[in-house]
């Protein structure tokens, strides 16, 4: 800390002179793990035991993800991480069954019957039909996508895209510190996002666009060859100390305050996502519900439950997970509504 404090004044003056801006992406490993677990086990396109709206409607998905976290013990977390990184498909599916059983043992930790029914039913179905859940990927480069630094990198590309829109500029070049293990994967992620279609997609009340940093180039450098990377390393280290609750001396504190005042943050953590969730959805959760809206919602829930039961029965007949079937009118009708 004292070594940074000695140069903090000069570094702050440099940042101000350069009019530097920042985008910081925080990825909490515990929160990342529970989101990976939810996406892997509760995808309604693979798991016929969960209704479409519980996975695809964002406020419901986030709520259930938080509740799932109450079921996860450290041994279960380690077993799941081993499962998604397992190169052999048979072992990955065996690991999935073990994880589902561990989670089901703790299902009574949930205080409300609704969550126990939704998560419990889906876990039982995944445990009994592990062949339908795409828990295994056979390419190492795809498995690397599970790691926190790759999640943070995707967040950073999207953050750069937002910065570019704010300043009405395009991103010309992205320089990343050299990482021999992940360099190929980083380049692949950049290529995918920078060449994706800019078409906006509406899905379950949300709007998505896959394209980011179109036309930019991507390079890696050793940190001793890039002052910019060295500055980023200093800022990230201070940012980490800040989130650990460590007191910062005046110069270091001023540096971090400049970053917060001249930048944006993506906080992929329990606390960050909860704060964002409440800001976005609290009026909907706490506001009054008109009788006709309540009635329409109850009818949609009834339709989704009917579709779930029908999907489970159909799997027993044809062995096809939901995403491999043609979408039927029962599942389409709520989306059209």
């Amino acid at each position: 800390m004292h070594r940074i404090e000695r140069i903090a004044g000069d570094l702050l003056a440099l940042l101000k002179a350069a009019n530097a801006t920042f985008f910081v992406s925080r990825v909490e490993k515990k929160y990342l793990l529970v989101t990976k677990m939810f996406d892997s086990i509760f995808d309604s396109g693979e798991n016929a035991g969960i209704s479409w709206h519980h996975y695809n409607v964002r406020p419901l998905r986030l709520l259930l993800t938080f509740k799932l976290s109450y079921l996860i013990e450290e041994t279960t977390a380690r077993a799941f991480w081993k499962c998604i990184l397992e190169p052999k498909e048979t072992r990955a599916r065996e690991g999935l069954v073990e994880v589902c059983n561990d989670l089901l043992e703790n299902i009574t930790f949930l205080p409300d019957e609704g969550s126990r029914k939704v998560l419990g039913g889906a876990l039982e179905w995944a445990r009994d039909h592990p062949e339908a859940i795409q828990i295994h990927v056979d390419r190492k480069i795809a498995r690397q996508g599970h790691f926190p630094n790759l999640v943070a990198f995707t967040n950073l590309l999207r953050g750069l895209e937002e910065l570019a829109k704010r300043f009405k500029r395009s991103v010309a070049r992205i320089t990343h510190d050299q990482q021999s293990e992940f360099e190929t994967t980083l380049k692949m992620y950049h290529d995918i996002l920078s060449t994706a279609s800019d078409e906006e997609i509406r899905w379950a009340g949300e709007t998505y666009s896959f394209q980011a940093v179109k036309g930019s180039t991507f390079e890696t450098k050793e940190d001793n060859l890039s002052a910019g990377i060295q500055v980023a390393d200093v800022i990230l280290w201070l940012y980490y100390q800040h989130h650990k609750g460590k007191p910062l001396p005046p110069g270091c504190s001023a540096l971090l305050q400049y970053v917060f005042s001249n930048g944006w943050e993506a906080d992929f953590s329990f606390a960050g996502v909860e704060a964002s969730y409440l800001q976005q959805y609290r009026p909907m959760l706490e506001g009054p519900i008109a009788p006709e809206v309540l009635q329409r919602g109850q009818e949609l829930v009834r339709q989704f439950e009917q579709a779930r039961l029908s999907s489970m029965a159909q799997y027993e007949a044809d062995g096809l997970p939901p995403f491999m079937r043609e979408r039927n009118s029962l599942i389409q009708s709520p989306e059209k509504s």
Side-chain angles (χ1 to χ4, degrees):
M1 190 83 73
H2 68 279
R3 295 175 64 190
I4 297 177
E5 184 68 10
R6 287 204 303 267
I7 65 166
D10 291 338
L11 184 52
L12 181 58
L14 178 64
L15 296 179
K16 290 179 177 179
N19 195 26
T21 54
F22 292 84
F23 179 84
V24 185
S25 176
R26 177 190 181 204
V27 177
E28 184 181 49
K29 292 180 181 179
K30 290 182 178 180
Y31 184 71
L32 172 62
L33 182 130
V34 71
T35 60
K36 289 285 182 185
M37 187 178 289
F38 193 86
D39 277 338
S40 298
I41 301 176
F42 298 90
D43 185 338
S44 60
E46 301 171 10
N47 189 331
I50 191 165
S51 295
W52 182 91
H53 65 305
H54 285 133
Y55 181 75
N56 290 282
V57 178
R58 187 168 184 267
L60 293 177
R61 182 174 70 248
L62 289 176
L63 192 62
L64 286 171
T65 300
F66 268 66
K67 293 196 174 190
L68 175 66
S69 69
Y70 281 92
L71 310 181
I72 305 172
E73 297 179 354
E74 183 174 344
T75 53
T76 312
R78 293 183 181 278
F80 173 75
W81 196 252
K82 181 180 178 181
C83 179
I84 60 175
L85 297 181
E86 173 57 55
K88 293 187 177 181
E89 184 173 359
T90 303
R91 290 182 181 175
R93 302 208 182 282
E94 290 171 352
L96 173 63
V97 172
E98 175 189 341
V99 167
C100 289
N101 278 326
D102 289 345
L103 294 170
L104 282 166
E105 286 184 7
N106 293 338
I107 200 72
T108 55
F109 290 175
L110 298 177
D112 61 297
E113 182 182 352
S115 297
R116 291 196 297 268
K117 181 179 178 181
V118 170
L119 294 179
L123 284 168
E124 288 175 355
W125 197 91
R127 177 198 62 192
D128 297 340
H129 305 88
E131 72 284 350
I133 309 299
Q134 296 188 346
I135 197 74
H136 172 261
V137 289
D138 57 2
R139 297 179 64 199
K140 180 181 178 181
I141 197 169
R143 292 194 294 272
Q144 285 182 334
H146 295 307
F147 285 90
N149 52 345
L150 271 303
V151 176
F153 182 66
T154 304
N155 290 346
L156 285 170
L157 294 186
R158 299 205 179 280
L160 286 173
E161 176 70 13
E162 291 302 314
L163 283 178
K165 289 178 179 177
R166 288 173 185 265
F167 294 118
K168 297 181 180 179
R169 302 279 296 275
S170 59
V171 178
R173 183 177 67 253
I174 298 169
T175 304
H176 195 285
D177 66 320
Q178 207 164 58
Q179 293 188 354
S180 57
E181 184 180 0
F182 295 104
E183 189 165 325
T184 301
T185 311
L186 292 171
K187 289 180 178 178
M188 182 188 74
Y189 273 45
H190 173 265
D191 287 344
I192 290 173
L193 268 69
S194 63
T195 60
S197 169
D198 61 355
E199 179 184 359
E200 290 187 339
I201 298 172
R202 295 259 323 155
W203 181 255
E206 304 284 335
T207 301
Y208 302 93
S209 177
F210 292 102
Q211 186 186 91
V213 296
K214 179 182 178 181
S216 63
T217 60
F218 177 79
E219 65 177 10
T220 59
K221 281 187 177 180
E222 295 180 16
D223 56 5
N224 64 330
L225 300 178
S226 171
I229 289 175
Q230 292 181 36
V231 169
D233 281 342
V234 169
I235 297 302
L236 287 173
W237 190 83
L238 292 176
Y239 179 78
Y240 178 63
Q241 302 308 313
H242 166 76
H243 275 288
K244 286 172 64 178
K246 294 286 185 69
L248 301 180
C252 293
S253 182
L255 270 177
L256 211 51
Q257 186 57 49
Y258 177 89
V259 172
F260 290 144
S261 301
N262 295 272
W264 293 264
E265 180 183 20
D267 192 353
F268 195 69
S269 67
F270 283 105
V273 174
E274 180 187 23
S276 175
Y277 183 96
L278 291 176
Q279 181 181 9
Q280 185 172 0
Y281 298 117
R282 175 170 271 163
M284 178 181 68
L285 295 172
E286 297 181 350
I289 303 175
E292 62 274 14
V293 174
L294 179 60
Q295 184 178 359
R296 189 165 65 246
Q298 290 171 335
E299 174 58 23
L300 285 176
V301 170
R302 187 193 67 79
Q303 290 185 41
F304 282 128
E305 177 60 12
Q306 185 180 342
R308 184 182 76 91
L309 296 174
S310 174
S311 180
M312 289 193 294
Q314 188 171 341
Y315 184 86
E316 300 303 327
D318 60 21
L320 295 177
F323 80 93
M324 295 184 67
R325 308 174 192 148
E326 292 185 9
R327 293 181 66 195
N328 56 55
S329 58
L330 179 63
I331 297 178
Q332 282 183 344
S333 56
E335 174 67 11
K336 291 179 180 178
S337 301

